[in-house]
Amino acid sequence: MVGINFSEGDLDWIRQHRLHIVAAGCVAWYILFAIMERFVRAVTDGSVKDAKPSTPGGEKPTTVQGFAFLIISTIHSGTVAFLVLLCVPQVLFADRPGDTIHDQLRVDAVGGQELNLMFVAGHLYLAWVVFEVIFFTVWWRTFGKVSDMFHHVLFSVTGLYFVMNERPCGYYALVLMSMEASTPWLNLHLAFRGSDGSYRRLLGKVR
């Protein structure tokens, strides 16, 4: 089994600096978003326009900012989904009578050592959804929707539970965060929805 083991000292350090980690993650995502904006402009030779409040909703994912956001969203979701799916054997197949599901998650079923990938994935998840709330607030006139903001705020509360609760239920954390595995495909759909062949021509210009 693939395993990543954290010592109690490592986990204690994460607990003591959890809010700093989330804040640093938000800053990192904003920096990466700015880099991706420049990247999209560079590889498309100006063929992709900037998002504006007047841009139709269906076309916003195919703007410079829309593509940049979809790229970093895919990076986030792929990372979190990978870490969470590594926990599936422990959560679903661990056989340790008397332990809670959370205890089963924390014990490597092969080596008997501490394993808390879910705890780490929870911090990454929370940093991303907080970044999303900030992003949609800053870009409210262009990308903001009440429904989107509502569910991102709910996700933030859920992520806060994952990292602040000393004993969250690993099974529920696994189920809720494993939804990130579908995000890359959703992003692909958003990027190519409504394509009339223009994207194929656009991708032909990428060098």
Side-chain angles (χ1 to χ4, degrees):
M1 178 189 299
V2 178
I4 300 177
N5 297 315
F6 297 91
S7 68
E8 274 303 320
D10 294 332
L11 296 175
D12 285 340
W13 185 90
I14 293 174
R15 292 187 187 100
Q16 293 169 11
H17 298 87
R18 58 188 66 180
L19 296 182
H20 297 91
I21 293 171
V22 171
C26 291
V27 172
W29 284 122
Y30 242 112
I31 293 173
L32 188 57
F33 173 74
I35 292 172
M36 287 299 106
E37 274 190 297
R38 294 192 174 199
F39 171 76
V40 172
R41 287 194 182 98
V43 300
T44 58
D45 254 351
S47 301
V48 176
K49 306 301 181 184
D50 285 286
K52 299 178 181 178
S54 59
T55 304
E59 296 178 12
K60 288 179 181 178
T62 59
T63 59
V64 169
Q65 291 74 23
F67 275 127
F69 186 86
L70 293 179
I71 291 171
I72 64 173
S73 171
T74 301
I75 294 172
H76 149 75
S77 57
T79 302
V80 169
F82 175 73
L83 292 177
V84 169
L85 292 176
L86 283 179
C87 298
V88 169
Q90 284 98 300
V91 175
L92 299 184
F93 306 117
D95 183 17
R96 296 175 58 84
D99 283 351
T100 66
I101 294 178
H102 176 71
D103 292 330
Q104 294 175 6
L105 171 66
R106 287 173 53 86
V107 176
D108 185 325
V110 175
Q113 300 175 2
E114 281 290 312
L115 183 67
N116 210 327
L117 279 178
M118 195 71 72
F119 186 61
V120 174
H123 283 77
L124 299 178
Y125 175 90
L126 179 57
W128 172 256
V129 292
V130 171
F131 162 75
E132 284 188 307
V133 170
I134 296 172
F135 176 86
F136 287 115
T137 300
V138 173
W139 288 83
W140 182 258
R141 293 186 63 232
T142 303
F143 291 102
K145 287 183 179 179
V146 173
S147 58
D148 285 347
M149 183 62 77
F150 180 69
H151 88 254
H152 285 121
V153 169
L154 288 181
F155 287 174
S156 297
V157 173
T158 304
L160 193 63
Y161 169 75
F162 291 157
V163 303
M164 297 300 289
N165 190 338
E166 291 298 323
R167 297 182 63 78
C169 180
Y171 179 78
Y172 293 125
L174 170 74
V175 171
L176 291 171
M177 286 195 286
S178 63
M179 69 179 179
E180 295 293 351
S182 67
T183 301
W185 313 109
L186 172 62
N187 290 345
L188 188 65
H189 166 72
L190 291 174
F192 286 86
R193 180 179 60 184
S195 172
D196 57 359
S198 57
Y199 292 167
R200 184 179 300 175
R201 295 191 294 273
L202 175 62
L203 291 174
K205 296 180 180 179
V206 176
R207 292 176 176 82

